[in-house]
Amino acid sequence: MYESAGIEGGSLKPLWHVGSGRMLFAGCLHKNALHSHSAPVMLAGLYDDFRLRLAGGSWFACRAAVIPAGTAYEFDAEGRPIAVIYIEPSEASAEGLAALVAETREERGVLIGMRTDLSQVRSLYEDPSSLAWTDEAMNDLLEFSKPKARRTIDARVRRALEAVADNAGGVVTGGSVPRVDWAAHAAGLSTSRFQHLFKQEVGVSYRRYAAWARMRVAVSEVVKGSNFTTAAHASGFYDQPHFAREFRRIFGAPAGRSLAGVRH
């Protein structure tokens, strides 16, 4: 049962926050088709369970799940509020997010939890003006998981990830994120060696991660008030349809379901 009449009435707008090393969504969702991410992700029902299915498996109910980068899954929140926290690979590993989940079991490399305390995220979702303090709240939340969250990542891959973060939405030729040859140079490696090491360390190919970084920029632009077309151009997509296709591929649902009417 929802804990707020406003939530039950569906009056709250979706909350997106794009911060340094993390991204948060909180809002009502239905079914997102099979998809995978280029960063570790935690899903949690804000008030009750949701349904989850890992690729090749069966549907089951849970309260939370911590999913490594590159792992395909789909979920159905049945229109209820759900939180999704994305952590950049240079910031933390999927194992670090485990500190936020209790009563757990592992299934196909995914940590499934039947209990979690996300009262801070619930407060963010319930406060219509929460964008003003979302970054501070996320810092507090992730501080709790830091003892387990810190990870050692190859310094050369870290340099490439930092180059992506510095240039996403910027002026690097070839789009809003560095091309693979440029990233390999930043890492001090040949292109072929860099691609192999990057996938080994991050869990997905550099090309897929670059698409993810571009999408982060697009979401950030929408949160700032841009329409989808302007956000698409600002983040290096060819046009709005290109952005829409990539959003559906990355998140398993049309952009309008979570980005339309987003809080500014």
Side-chain angles (χ1 to χ4, degrees):
M1 179 178 292
Y2 295 161
E3 300 174 7
S4 164
I7 296 167
E8 191 173 12
S11 61
L12 293 174
K13 294 181 177 180
L15 168 65
W16 277 100
H17 167 70
V18 182
S20 176
R22 84 289 301 263
M23 186 162 69
L24 165 71
F25 169 82
C28 295
L29 290 177
H30 288 272
K31 184 177 180 180
N32 281 33
L34 194 68
H35 62 290
S36 64
H37 294 294
S38 298
V41 58
M42 175 180 170
L43 292 85
L46 286 180
Y47 302 96
D48 45 20
D49 294 349
F50 62 94
R51 296 174 66 238
L52 181 69
R53 189 178 78 87
L54 306 178
S58 301
W59 286 95
F60 58 88
C62 62
R63 187 61 181 269
V66 177
I67 303 174
T71 299
Y73 69 98
E74 57 186 312
F75 70 87
D76 189 354
E78 300 178 331
R80 295 189 291 270
I82 190 169
V84 190
I85 300 173
Y86 309 86
I87 299 295
E88 291 303 294
S90 57
E91 182 83 0
S93 63
E95 289 78 7
L97 294 171
L100 304 175
V101 183
E103 297 179 17
T104 62
R105 74 177 193 276
E106 186 173 324
E107 186 168 330
R108 304 186 184 202
V110 172
L111 186 68
I112 308 299
M114 299 310 297
R115 185 169 59 85
T116 184
D117 181 10
L118 287 183
S119 56
Q120 288 172 303
V121 180
R122 283 197 298 272
S123 297
L124 288 171
Y125 177 62
E126 293 172 2
D127 180 358
S129 61
S130 62
L131 279 176
W133 56 283
T134 300
D135 199 54
E136 180 182 356
M138 290 301 294
N139 284 339
D140 290 343
L141 178 68
L142 296 176
E143 186 73 26
F144 176 72
S145 66
K146 272 188 176 180
K148 294 182 179 180
R150 295 194 184 279
R151 65 170 297 188
T152 301
I153 192 169
D154 189 284
R156 295 163 294 183
V157 172
R158 181 177 292 277
R159 287 198 298 271
L161 290 169
E162 290 170 351
V164 172
D166 290 342
N167 289 283
V171 296
V172 176
T173 302
S176 60
V177 295
R179 295 185 305 261
V180 64
D181 55 342
W182 196 96
H185 178 76
L189 297 167
S190 68
T191 300
S192 60
R193 173 58 182 152
F194 169 74
Q195 289 177 311
H196 175 79
L197 183 62
F198 189 93
K199 186 168 185 178
Q200 175 182 301
E201 290 288 297
V202 176
V204 297
S205 69
Y206 179 79
R207 179 180 179 181
R208 283 194 58 189
Y209 183 79
W212 168 251
R214 185 178 296 115
M215 184 58 68
R216 277 174 48 89
V217 175
V219 171
S220 178
E221 289 295 319
V222 173
V223 173
K224 292 174 185 175
S226 297
N227 60 35
F228 287 1
T229 299
T230 301
H233 291 155
S235 51
F237 293 101
Y238 301 126
D239 50 25
Q240 192 272 333
H242 181 210
F243 160 73
R245 289 192 301 272
E246 282 294 285
F247 191 97
R248 182 186 286 270
R249 180 186 67 80
I250 290 173
F251 294 103
R257 289 190 186 174
S258 62
L259 277 177
V262 71
R263 302 179 198 185
H264 300 306

